[in-house]
Amino acid sequence: MSPPGREVQYTESDVIEVFKDRDDYAEPLTASEVADRLGCSRRTALNKLHSLESETDITSKKVGGRSRVWWIPVRTD
């Protein structure tokens, strides 16, 4: 029997790969979409996204009462 607790650890690199492995690199994603693609909980994805926003180029925008979308800005220069 495995010990209680989390069996799978998701890294920030895993989250970044979700953004990079898409047909439309500029399309923003919700935390739920990131969670679905990783196979983790929405809360886990949200925690990683908040961490990445403070440490990387990933940014977000509120688009409704409690809705937020996330993306990596596409540089045009």
Side-chain angles (χ1 to χ4, degrees):
M1 181 179 222
S2 42
R6 296 181 213 142
E7 292 184 27
V8 177
Q9 295 291 319
Y10 297 96
T11 66
E12 291 171 350
S13 295
D14 295 329
V15 176
I16 291 170
E17 284 304 310
V18 169
F19 284 92
K20 290 182 176 180
D21 288 344
R22 302 179 295 147
D23 293 332
D24 183 356
Y25 188 72
E27 177 190 9
L29 299 173
T30 65
S32 294
E33 290 171 320
V34 172
D36 288 346
R37 291 181 183 164
L38 286 176
C40 68
S41 71
R42 181 183 173 281
R43 174 50 55 193
T44 296
L46 195 55
N47 289 343
K48 295 295 181 186
L49 288 164
H50 280 295
S51 178
L52 283 166
E53 185 173 31
S54 66
E55 299 171 7
T56 68
D57 285 345
I58 288 182
T59 190
S60 69
K61 177 181 179 180
K62 233 178 161 177
V63 292
R66 293 178 40 161
S67 299
R68 184 170 289 273
V69 292
W70 306 83
W71 71 94
I72 297 174
V74 176
R75 305 286 183 227
T76 59
D77 39 291

